[in-house]
Amino acid sequence: MRRRVIFRGTALPLLLLAPQLAVTAVFFLWPAGVAVWQSVLQQDAWGLRTEFVGLRNFAEVLADPDWRAAAWNTAVFSAAVAGLAMGAALVLAAQADKSIRGARAYRTLLIWPYAVAPAVAAVLWLFLFHPSIGLIGRALNANGIPWDTRLNGGQAMALVVLAAAWKQVSYNFIFFLAGLQAIPKSVLEAASIDGARPVRRFWTIVFPLLSPTTFFLLVVNLVYAFFDTFGTIHALTGGGPGKATETLIYKAYVEGVQNTNLGSAAAQSVILMVLVIALTMVQFRFVERRVHY
Amino acid sequence: MSAAVEEGDRLAAAATTRRRRQSGALTHAILLLGVLAVVFPIWIAVVGSTHDASTIGRGDVPLLPGAEAVENYATALTGGAGRFSSSPATLMLWNSAAMALLIACGKIAISLLSAYAVAFFSFPGRMVAFWTIFITLMLPVEVRIIPTYQVIVDLDLFDSMAGLTVPLMASATATLLFRQFFLTVPDEVVEAAKIDGAGPLRFFRDILLPLSVTNIAALFVILFIYGWNQYLWPLLVVNDRSLETVVVGLTRMIGTGDAQNEWNVIMATAVLALLPPVAVVVAMQRWFVRGLTETEK
């Protein structure tokens, strides 16, 4: 889409674009290029010599059992976070969409956790589930369920999933509610007159009409679980116990910052970039459809 | 006969009302449960911030607030107590506020300018510029941490507010949103301004900016929260504790998560860390929901 009436000139628009382009070039394009470049290089153990190794870093990363374990953790973690956060949000949005007393108050109360930082959410959940001082952690231990996220990898994973999903429910809720409100009431009334019960109405009419929103949210939730939850994991478990909660982004961080293994870290970053670009493409292709559905 | 029909109608209506009331009760129950799950962790944090450390250390976190609130928050704000002496929260909150405001305002400013250039001018390289900006959308900080960090070190921006904020200021989403909005401004408005002799800068300042106020407010809420909640970037770029942000400082206070931590002070700091962005969302709820649903289009 272009406008008919426009201003003339080349210098002024370029000047207006300069700040954005400068930041983009210096902090986005250049580092991304460097990452791609470093991913095909390898330093020797003393960091003295660097040689071109082609795709060897990628081959090594993909064959590394630790990386594969992290990939599996990421898959489990993301599926659990997206499923939990979207499921809970859909149930709540379907209720909040009804004309009931206090609907606005419920909405406000459900929306604001969006503002809580992932790392702060982690601290709140740690305080609840701490094995010796946490309200719930202690209660579990007192009732014969041995609970310690510092020893049990499965429990650690469950806790990071809870902390990450908790924060994301409000985001999904906002979008599901907007999606529900956009469904014409006449369609539902017609189905109702035809004798369709609420549950049937939901699955045969509401849910299909909501599928664009659902699909959009799925992509957003996956991106959130892949990248934004670094703070949750860093603050809550540090990737442990062992490597039970180490996701791909966390592993890239450990490799690059703590082990300063640049070639491998760069290869991992490039793999993540490809992943996020693929997800964004899917999202945009789908946005086109979402507008016209 | 007709009386019987009426009676039947009345009974059917009563049954419908009853069913409706029951489903209403169920709706409220589900929503209350949801609200409870959402609020409970925060409530316990608030409670934890009002008791003394030994009550929490023993594992007896009560369900109701205690009497130590003033003391705990004072300790948190002035900092330095206990085994893990931390930066005073006043300083960390200030740093977070500065970072969040700079990122939000910076993003809005450079996005407004570049969206204006892309939407209202025709010049060679326009589409190249647009796509260059668009690509940034696809590369979140997290996937290019190490090389970006090296750029910061090379530019001598390590441990500085500029290093903390400038790299996060490029924003494809904000640019796309403003461009989208600018394209809806009718050509007649531009024509009228031109006939009245307004140049491009005058038009931008006197006509376009006032029209964009709602969009700017909506974006501001989202971007302020985005800036305030940054974690990985400040963790990498800032070593100097006088520049520590509250989200990073809070997690440093936990250390290895010992039961002997001063959890009361930690929870007070947690409450202080989540209060400003939550306040912004609650105060600007209308713009917030709008900003969120618009930017994701």
Side-chain angles (χ1 to χ4, degrees):
Chain A
M1 182 168 158
R2 304 190 80 156
R3 9 180 17 104
R4 271 185 304 115
V5 183
I6 40 179
F7 291 109
R8 255 182 274 268
T10 306
L12 184 63
L14 287 180
L15 206 64
L16 293 170
L17 277 167
Q20 174 95 291
L21 289 179
V23 175
T24 305
V26 175
F27 297 108
F28 286 73
L29 299 180
W30 170 252
V34 169
V36 172
W37 174 235
Q38 278 177 346
S39 70
V40 295
L41 298 178
Q42 200 162 48
Q43 278 189 329
D44 65 11
W46 298 277
L48 296 174
R49 267 164 41 93
T50 308
E51 59 169 340
F52 179 81
V53 293
L55 295 177
R56 201 163 79 200
N57 285 324
F58 290 95
E60 278 172 13
V61 165
L62 291 173
D64 178 8
D66 281 351
W67 190 86
R68 290 182 173 198
W72 174 246
N73 285 343
T74 310
V76 172
F77 175 73
S78 310
V81 169
L84 198 60
M86 288 173 67
L90 181 56
V91 171
L92 291 171
Q95 307 307 318
D97 185 40
K98 294 177 185 165
S99 48
I100 50 162
R101 212 173 291 164
R104 283 185 67 86
Y106 283 125
R107 268 173 233 170
T108 308
L109 283 168
L110 287 169
I111 279 175
W112 56 263
Y114 171 82
V116 179
V120 175
V123 173
L124 301 180
W125 284 83
L126 179 64
F127 189 61
L128 267 185
F129 279 89
H130 194 287
S132 52
I133 62 154
L135 197 66
I136 300 178
R138 257 173 71 91
L140 288 170
N141 279 319
N143 289 299
I145 304 164
W147 174 269
D148 193 341
T149 49
R150 282 171 300 182
L151 299 174
N152 185 319
Q155 291 178 354
M157 180 58 97
L159 187 54
V160 286
V161 166
L162 270 179
W166 173 76
K167 196 198 115 59
Q168 193 65 4
V169 170
S170 27
Y171 182 93
N172 297 341
F173 174 79
I174 293 167
F175 278 87
F176 273 136
L177 192 59
L180 286 168
Q181 283 168 347
I183 294 174
K185 291 285 167 280
S186 53
V187 178
L188 293 173
E189 268 161 28
S192 173
I193 289 165
D194 286 348
R197 289 285 171 137
V199 176
R200 197 182 146 86
R201 282 207 299 271
F202 180 84
W203 287 114
T204 55
I205 299 166
V206 177
F207 193 70
L209 282 176
L210 214 52
S211 64
T213 309
T214 310
F215 187 69
F216 161 78
L217 283 177
L218 183 64
V219 175
V220 170
N221 278 263
L222 288 179
V223 171
Y224 164 78
F226 283 176
F227 304 109
D228 293 348
T229 53
F230 174 85
T232 318
I233 294 170
H234 190 254
L236 205 46
T237 64
K243 291 175 190 278
T245 52
E246 193 173 80
T247 54
L248 288 175
I249 195 85
Y250 201 86
K251 182 153 177 56
Y253 165 80
V254 169
E255 207 69 57
V257 176
Q258 288 171 10
N259 303 344
T260 57
N261 185 349
L262 290 183
S264 172
Q268 296 186 28
S269 287
V270 171
I271 294 173
L272 286 169
M273 279 189 222
V274 172
L275 203 62
V276 75
I277 287 174
L279 276 172
T280 317
M281 298 284 231
V282 169
Q283 183 179 328
F284 270 88
R285 274 194 67 97
F286 144 77
V287 164
E288 294 298 308
R289 280 200 295 132
R290 187 170 90 113
V291 177
H292 306 290
Y293 80 88
Chain B
M1 175 79 186
S2 83
V5 171
E6 267 170 33
E7 176 65 10
D9 279 355
R10 207 177 54 76
L11 280 177
T16 315
T17 320
R18 198 162 53 238
R19 207 178 305 130
R20 218 171 259 162
R21 209 169 282 156
Q22 275 166 1
S23 92
L26 185 66
T27 303
H28 280 288
I30 294 172
L31 283 170
L32 278 174
L33 204 68
V35 169
L36 193 71
V38 158
V39 173
F40 190 63
I42 309 263
W43 173 249
I44 293 301
V46 172
V47 169
S49 71
T50 58
H51 286 276
D52 59 50
S54 57
T55 307
I56 300 172
R58 280 197 308 272
D60 298 333
V61 182
L63 283 170
L64 291 173
E68 311 284 324
V70 176
E71 213 180 312
N72 292 339
Y73 282 92
T75 313
L77 285 168
T78 52
R83 296 185 302 144
F84 302 99
S85 75
S86 58
S87 316
T90 39
L91 176 69
M92 298 195 289
L93 288 167
W94 166 254
N95 287 335
S96 286
M99 175 177 72
L101 285 174
L102 281 172
I103 291 177
C105 297
K107 266 187 185 243
I108 289 173
I110 68 175
S111 304
L112 269 172
L113 293 180
S114 43
Y116 179 54
V118 174
F120 282 94
F121 288 87
S122 174
F123 57 96
R126 178 167 158 273
M127 285 327 276
V128 176
F130 181 72
W131 282 104
T132 311
I133 294 165
F134 189 78
I135 285 171
T136 60
L137 193 67
M138 300 185 179
L139 302 170
V141 182
E142 281 79 2
V143 302
R144 51 187 172 80
I145 329 164
I146 316 295
T148 312
Y149 171 77
Q150 284 165 347
V151 170
I152 291 291
V153 174
D154 292 343
L155 292 179
D156 208 14
L157 288 173
F158 188 77
D159 263 342
S160 72
M161 193 45 95
L164 201 52
T165 53
V166 175
L168 302 178
M169 278 182 195
S171 171
T173 18
T175 312
L176 291 176
L177 173 76
F178 282 128
R179 175 182 165 269
Q180 205 86 339
F181 169 68
F182 288 166
L183 291 178
T184 64
V185 174
D187 285 340
E188 289 74 19
V189 176
V190 192
E191 243 157 42
K194 275 174 130 177
I195 290 167
D196 288 350
L201 287 177
R202 181 89 198 270
F203 172 75
F204 179 68
R205 199 189 60 201
D206 289 350
I207 295 172
L208 215 50
L209 271 188
L211 283 175
S212 315
V213 169
T214 331
N215 279 299
I216 292 175
L219 258 181
F220 178 81
V221 184
I222 309 289
L223 296 178
F224 179 84
I225 295 166
Y226 166 85
W228 184 278
N229 290 350
Q230 283 300 316
Y231 185 77
L232 179 56
W233 189 240
L235 190 71
L236 277 177
V237 172
V238 169
N239 210 5
D240 181 356
R241 298 206 85 169
S242 68
L243 270 176
E244 197 167 45
T245 62
V246 71
V247 176
V248 173
L250 171 70
T251 59
R252 287 213 176 118
M253 288 170 85
I254 293 175
T256 50
D258 273 5
Q260 281 75 39
N261 276 354
E262 289 194 300
W263 285 99
N264 52 344
V265 179
I266 295 179
M267 292 337 276
T269 313
V271 172
L272 290 171
L274 63 82
L275 214 52
V278 168
V280 168
V281 162
V282 173
M284 299 176 75
Q285 190 177 332
R286 201 156 51 89
W287 290 280
F288 162 65
V289 172
R290 195 188 144 138
L292 205 60
T293 40
E294 301 263 300
T295 44
E296 298 294 1
K297 265 181 198 159

